[in-house]
Amino acid sequence: MHNKLIGLFDSGVGGLTVLKALKNTLPNENYIYLGDTARLPYGTKSKETIIRYALQCTEKLMEYDLKILVVACNTVSSIALPYIKDKYPHIEVIGVVEPGAEAACNETKNNIIAVLATESTIKGKAYENAILKIKPTATVIGKACPLFVGMAEEGIIKGELAEAMAKHYLHEILLKTQKPDTIVLGCTHFPLLKEAIQHIVGNAIHLVDSAQTTAQKVQKLLKEKKLSLDVTLPHATMHFLTTDDVAKFKAIGEPFLGISLDKSNVELVDL
Ligand code: DGL
């Protein structure tokens, strides 16, 4: 059981920011990551489509010997988590919304939190609900920033264009008299744009994302369930599945993961 895999999936390469945090926290574990790059973005799709895609991704990963499934996509975590848990009750499933909400609640002093995410995540109000569950008196301001997804994938993450887009999405929030002191990057693509967003909002506002808190939650759960790796056996592998071009996954994914990807570890799959 201990040497089974930690499975992760996302609509594309964004979830690699979560894998990066997991790898830093649990460096010896074995990972399998699925990016449904052929059907990205999920964040603009209907609830029904997101649920269907999420169940197909889960089914694919269930072909592997998993000990835990990490839904490394805020959109899927917001919309489809109960459906995945319901269909696969035998496996531990962790989403990224609750850890992101926790990180924001730990950070805020004035109880005003803004959430930047995809359209579906904002519409589904999962972040708002998760934050209010922890801090019932908090004010939550949601803002859909769908174009950040494409920009992160195109590598437009700093400089004039990225900052202009951040200004476009954030100016209303920044004009408020009661400004948030904490902003959640509620999409796994957004941490790549952190520098540009921080430049626009200023250093008095804290930016948080769910990658680190999710990694800590996984670590805690593995310990609790006595599923942590048996370090005496061979370990530390990463395997990647993509539903579209392997070379593109490697090229776009590397900045998200922060290390170079071995092409032989990336496999094209159909869902
Ligand atoms: N990475 C996904 C998320 O965390 C968003 C990308 C998409 O729209 O598919 O919400």
Side-chain angles (χ1 to χ4, degrees):
M1 188 65 176
H2 308 77
N3 298 296
K4 288 183 171 202
L5 305 170
I6 297 180
L8 299 93
F9 79 88
D10 178 41
S11 55
V13 289
L16 292 172
T17 54
V18 179
L19 177 57
K20 184 180 172 186
L22 269 170
K23 184 85 181 122
N24 286 336
T25 309
L26 299 162
N28 295 326
E29 293 286 347
N30 301 300
Y31 298 94
I32 180 143
Y33 178 95
L34 165 64
D36 189 8
T37 43
R39 303 191 293 195
L40 174 121
Y42 281 13
T44 50
K45 303 220 162 48
S46 69
K47 182 178 172 189
E48 291 69 26
T49 301
I50 294 166
I51 294 168
R52 183 159 49 89
Y53 287 0
L55 291 176
Q56 287 168 344
C57 289
T58 308
E59 195 177 333
K60 173 52 78 184
L61 284 174
M62 288 300 164
E63 290 173 14
Y64 298 80
D65 205 11
L66 299 192
K67 60 181 171 186
I68 187 166
L69 175 68
V70 181
V71 177
C73 174
N74 289 271
T75 306
V76 173
S77 299
S78 307
I79 308 284
L81 208 60
Y83 297 86
I84 299 172
K85 287 185 174 176
D86 199 47
K87 189 158 179 202
Y88 299 94
H90 61 283
I91 183 132
E92 297 291 342
V93 183
I94 286 192
V96 285
V97 168
E98 276 180 24
E102 241 170 71
C105 291
N106 288 339
E107 196 62 55
T108 187
K109 299 275 181 294
N110 74 356
N111 272 358
I112 309 175
I113 298 168
V115 178
L116 312 183
T118 64
E119 277 170 54
S120 303
T121 301
I122 297 298
K123 244 194 253 160
K125 292 189 184 293
Y127 261 104
E128 198 173 323
N129 295 336
I131 290 169
L132 292 177
K133 206 168 153 192
I134 306 170
K135 268 191 189 280
T137 56
T139 302
V140 184
I141 307 161
K143 179 72 190 166
C145 309
L147 292 177
F148 279 164
V149 176
M151 291 184 69
E153 297 230 337
E154 282 292 317
I156 307 169
I157 54 172
K158 295 183 203 186
E160 230 175 285
L161 250 183
E163 286 174 19
M165 192 55 74
K167 207 181 260 173
H168 167 75
Y169 283 136
L170 286 154
H171 77 276
E172 265 176 40
I173 294 177
L174 296 175
L175 282 176
K176 288 185 186 293
T177 36
Q178 303 274 47
K179 284 188 212 16
D181 68 350
T182 304
I183 294 182
V184 186
L185 304 179
C187 169
T188 50
H189 279 73
F190 296 0
L192 264 81
L193 290 139
K194 195 168 181 175
E195 200 181 304
I197 298 169
Q198 192 79 69
H199 194 246
I200 295 305
V201 301
N203 288 333
I205 298 182
H206 296 278
L207 301 183
V208 298
D209 67 67
S210 47
Q212 196 47 46
T213 19
T214 302
Q216 284 157 1
K217 203 169 166 184
V218 172
Q219 185 179 38
K220 192 164 163 245
L221 191 75
L222 292 182
K223 252 191 213 152
E224 267 169 28
K225 303 272 170 192
K226 304 204 184 326
L227 292 173
S228 301
L229 192 85
D230 177 351
V231 285
T232 58
L233 292 164
H235 52 264
T237 59
M238 279 199 277
H239 190 69
F240 302 89
L241 309 174
T242 178
T243 52
D244 199 15
D245 191 61
V246 167
K248 199 171 167 195
F249 180 89
K250 178 179 143 45
I252 302 177
E254 276 176 357
F256 284 80
L257 192 59
I259 53 168
S260 69
L261 269 167
D262 181 355
K263 215 166 132 185
S264 61
N265 274 339
V266 187
E267 190 187 328
L268 179 65
V269 292
D270 198 14
L271 300 182

